Amino acid sequence: MTDLIARFQQLAPQLLSTPALSVLMTLIAYFVGVSLFRKLKQPVWCPPVLIAAVLLAIMLSLLSISFEEYRTGANWLSFLLGPATVALGVPLYQQFHHIRAMWRPILATVPLAATVAVLYALVIAWALGASTEVLASLAPKSVTAPIAIGINQQIGGSVSLLMGSLLVTGVVASLFVDWLSRWLNISDDRLIGLTLGINGHAIGTVRAFEISATAGAFSSLGMGLTGVFTALLLPFALDTLNVL
Amino acid sequence: MPLLRGFLTLLLFLILGEAMRLLFLLPISGGIIGMLLLTFWAMVSGGISEDLALASQKLIAILILLIMPGVVGVFFLGGHFDGQWLAITLALLAGTFLSVLTTLLILRVQVRPDQEASHD
């Protein structure tokens, strides 16, 4: 009996030697998180990924599994981010016809807006004495997660802080677009959609689809173009300026 | 099988992007280069096969699951960024507020409501 108890205590570390336990816990947290999100009537301020991440963190600490141990197993899932990033090319291509309809404002706005989204955050953080690690983690904050992780691999910084920044940015961007568009008297769904996608990446795009299909399409386009523009220019800009 | 065929195409573009990154020393991740190559390929060849559309749709649908290992790390940062949380919070809140405001203003200057009808 004591042997059994001793073996039981060894169970979690031994099971962690395969990716199965990490992947299983991630899947459980994902499904519970998504269904809780629906039960809560899909609040903008609390996206499913946040609920799922909180559940997963609770599970890990209850089973006293360290984040490093978990992440080794979960790499198996993270690997799929590579092909998933490539997959984003499909909706980007499918949304492309919207550019033809409104190419002038879109092409003039995206580079400028994507640049200031990075600059405002970096200047504020830098002025308040943030370290270069923090600056690198914050820089891709308005870019959709898979692309942002791709940028992170190149410029460095903490992936976890980046993911937290993405969450906060997506949520508050959705709120700010609601307030500011009302304040500025903007009711054109195309403009609201573009703004949501450029500033609030996937979380903003979910909000845009709640407004209308047009807003959603323009938001997807804004998100895709912002991701591409930032991914292409940010690493080069930081390299050239030699800032990070 | 269509799903796997689509997945094969995605992996092919991923490896192609990774190879280009290594060959030309690009500071852009292989996945992003692969995405651009795929978009470019779709424009040149005039479309996307059903297999590829299916595989992409399935992968994009589970993106939340794929980023969770990164997101959960936020709760395990510990004291690593102590003393910098004010800078981080203000950069995110004020920075996002300003960039949303800027984007809306840039768009409003260019797209006048009364021009919309004649514009298209």
Side-chain angles (χ1 to χ4, degrees):
Chain A
M1 192 61 198
T2 45
D3 278 4
L4 188 64
I5 291 169
R7 282 203 296 273
F8 184 76
Q9 283 163 342
Q10 283 297 307
L11 206 55
Q14 282 177 348
L15 286 177
L16 272 170
S17 58
T18 81
L21 186 59
S22 291
V23 176
L24 174 73
M25 287 190 297
T26 316
L27 275 172
I28 293 173
Y30 171 75
F31 281 113
V32 178
V34 169
S35 71
L36 259 179
F37 177 69
R38 293 215 183 96
K39 285 224 176 70
L40 292 169
K41 305 221 160 56
Q42 320 200 345
V44 180
W45 51 270
C46 190
V49 61
L50 179 59
I51 307 176
V54 170
L55 290 172
L56 186 54
I58 294 172
M59 266 195 262
L60 291 176
S61 59
L62 284 181
L63 295 170
S64 51
I65 297 168
S66 77
F67 178 59
E68 276 65 37
E69 288 170 311
Y70 161 76
R71 199 171 48 178
T72 316
N75 269 338
W76 200 82
L77 280 177
S78 308
F79 157 74
L80 285 174
L81 266 178
T85 311
V86 178
L88 291 176
V90 173
L92 190 62
Y93 165 75
Q94 289 165 342
Q95 298 301 334
F96 228 80
H97 62 276
H98 290 297
I99 293 188
R100 266 170 233 146
M102 253 178 91
W103 66 274
R104 212 190 304 248
I106 291 175
L107 290 189
T109 306
V110 170
L112 207 58
T115 306
V116 297
V118 176
L119 275 184
Y120 287 142
L122 286 189
V123 168
I124 294 170
W126 173 79
L128 292 168
S131 66
T132 48
E133 189 189 6
V134 168
L135 294 180
S137 314
L138 292 182
K141 75 178 183 67
S142 294
V143 176
T144 186
I147 298 183
I149 290 174
I151 297 174
N152 180 273
Q153 286 165 358
Q154 301 304 319
I155 67 171
S158 151
V159 180
S160 297
L161 182 57
L162 169 61
M163 301 313 285
S165 306
L166 285 180
L167 268 181
V168 174
T169 303
V171 170
V172 299
S174 306
L175 295 174
F176 291 153
V177 172
D178 277 3
W179 297 346
L180 289 172
S181 62
R182 215 169 304 143
W183 183 61
L184 293 169
N185 245 333
I186 295 173
S187 55
D188 188 330
D189 279 1
R190 298 173 305 175
L191 303 196
I192 292 174
L194 271 175
T195 311
L196 280 167
I198 292 171
N199 295 284
H201 55 94
I203 299 175
T205 302
V206 170
R207 170 78 194 117
F209 272 110
E210 285 171 11
I211 297 171
S212 71
T214 310
F218 275 87
S219 185
S220 310
L221 183 66
M223 171 177 83
L225 294 177
T226 302
V228 170
F229 177 82
T230 314
L232 291 180
L233 265 92
L234 188 59
F236 280 112
L238 296 179
D239 247 15
T240 326
L241 299 171
N242 220 347
V243 247
L244 293 176
Chain B
M1 287 318 262
L3 186 63
L4 276 185
R5 263 201 297 270
F7 193 65
L8 183 135
T9 313
L10 291 175
L11 281 181
L12 218 59
F13 275 98
L14 176 63
I15 291 292
L16 209 61
E18 203 62 51
M20 282 187 66
R21 178 179 74 85
L22 295 168
L23 281 176
F24 301 108
L25 299 174
L26 299 170
I28 306 161
S29 83
I32 295 165
I33 303 173
M35 173 186 81
L36 294 175
L37 290 174
L38 179 69
T39 313
F40 184 71
W41 171 249
M43 284 174 180
V44 172
S45 68
I48 279 167
S49 74
E50 274 175 44
D51 299 348
L52 181 58
L54 179 73
S56 301
Q57 191 199 339
K58 297 281 179 202
L59 264 179
I60 291 169
I62 57 161
L63 264 177
I64 289 179
L65 180 72
L66 304 184
I67 63 169
M68 271 177 60
V71 177
V72 76
V74 180
F75 301 105
F76 298 90
L77 286 174
H80 190 65
F81 293 111
D82 272 359
Q84 306 202 63
W85 287 109
L86 178 72
I88 294 169
T89 312
L90 268 182
L92 291 177
L93 296 184
T96 305
F97 181 86
L98 290 174
S99 75
V100 167
L101 183 63
T102 312
T103 312
L104 283 171
L105 289 176
I106 300 172
L107 281 170
R108 192 171 69 165
V109 168
Q110 297 176 80
V111 188
R112 298 255 163 227
D114 50 333
Q115 280 183 0
E116 269 164 38
S118 58
H119 193 77
D120 288 332

